[in-house]
Amino acid sequence: MKFETLQQLNTERAARRPAIVVTDTATGEQRLVKAADIAADPLAAELSRQLRMGKSATIEVDSKKLFLNVYAPTAKLVIVGAVHISQALAPLARSLGYDVTVVDPRTAFASPERFPDVPLIAEWPDVALPPLNIDRYTAFVALTHDPKIDDPALLHAFARDCFYIGALGSKKTHARRVDRLKEQGASEADVGRIHAPIGLAIGAVSPAEIAVSIMAEITATLRLPAAAKAVAA
């Protein structure tokens, strides 16, 4: 890899922006495609597919074999609410490779005994969330049922453009949540991004089952193409 290409790649990775190095396997010729440039690239469909899957691959285009080396940031999961569902969700997400953080100002819930080996921040969202550098490779779930905690957390998630935003609660609860968020400046597009009731409709009952449904919905949002997600919805 040329030094200039390596420098550009390291800059993208440091900023948690995905990129793909395209190598002609016959000639060794390489080029770097940044995420922002994929849509206009001749290989847009192939690049988008591999980036969505987070996997490198060899493809053949016009009789040329090209190796697509995908560099994607490690996905994060921020869980607001140290509740029973979170106790099942955190280890499940970690087993799938996510960097997980649990936020809850209620120290009786956010204790190391309940969340062994999981980073805990026992602070209110306005203090806890900014240092986490939440971004487009972050899934964000609000599970406390307490508007004083969930609402400001969701507003922060909107501003950081998380790839997934979910919130616990019934349709009635969510309708009241939407009204509150709009009163605080959230747009129709913002509240429309919230997955609520949270999780795929698999008939989940127990906290562990609900955690599975949430993680399945996060995975579908991350991995499926937009057209497939629209059909699934």
Side-chain angles (χ1 to χ4, degrees):
M1 184 181 296
K2 293 181 179 179
F3 182 66
E4 181 181 357
T5 302
L6 180 60
Q7 280 187 314
Q8 293 176 352
L9 176 60
N10 286 340
T11 297
E12 296 305 295
R13 296 181 71 185
R16 281 182 55 84
R17 293 190 295 261
I20 301 176
V21 176
V22 181
T23 304
D24 187 320
T25 60
T27 66
E29 182 181 350
Q30 289 185 322
R31 63 187 181 93
L32 177 70
V33 183
K34 300 176 183 179
D37 300 328
I38 287 178
D41 194 273
L43 301 176
E46 293 84 355
L47 295 172
S48 296
R49 180 176 60 250
Q50 295 310 131
L51 180 57
R52 191 174 64 249
M53 299 304 295
K55 290 185 177 181
S56 302
T58 299
I59 63 172
E60 188 166 337
V61 178
D62 297 331
S63 301
K64 291 183 179 180
K65 286 188 176 181
L66 304 175
F67 181 64
L68 310 183
N69 199 349
V70 175
Y71 295 87
T74 299
K76 299 178 182 180
L77 173 61
V78 174
I79 304 171
V80 175
V83 297
H84 291 311
I85 295 170
S86 307
Q87 287 181 284
L89 181 59
L92 176 58
R94 291 188 69 183
S95 73
L96 296 174
Y98 285 73
D99 285 340
V100 180
T101 304
V102 176
V103 174
D104 197 323
R106 304 168 300 182
T107 53
F109 292 90
S111 67
E113 292 76 21
R114 299 182 74 237
F115 292 88
D117 304 320
V118 177
L120 291 170
I121 305 178
E123 300 282 357
W124 290 89
D126 61 335
V127 174
L129 297 179
L132 295 180
N133 296 318
I134 291 166
D135 58 19
R136 293 189 67 187
Y137 267 77
T138 302
F140 191 97
V141 299
L143 304 177
T144 72
H145 267 311
D146 185 339
K148 297 190 302 297
I149 302 173
D150 285 351
D151 288 3
L154 289 168
L155 290 170
H156 185 82
F158 297 154
R160 304 301 296 182
D161 197 25
C162 299
F163 79 85
Y164 174 92
I165 300 173
L168 191 66
S170 66
K171 291 182 179 180
K172 287 185 178 180
T173 297
H174 183 57
R176 292 193 294 270
R177 177 191 294 126
V178 166
D179 289 340
R180 291 195 308 271
L181 292 172
K182 286 183 177 179
E183 289 173 359
Q184 297 175 73
S187 67
E188 194 70 42
D190 287 334
V191 297
R193 296 187 58 214
I194 303 174
H195 293 264
I198 196 170
L200 294 183
I202 61 172
V205 177
S206 69
E209 290 175 345
I210 295 171
V212 169
S213 75
I214 294 171
M215 208 63 235
E217 189 170 56
I218 291 172
T219 302
T221 304
L222 179 65
R223 300 300 186 200
L224 290 179
K229 285 184 281 192
V231 171

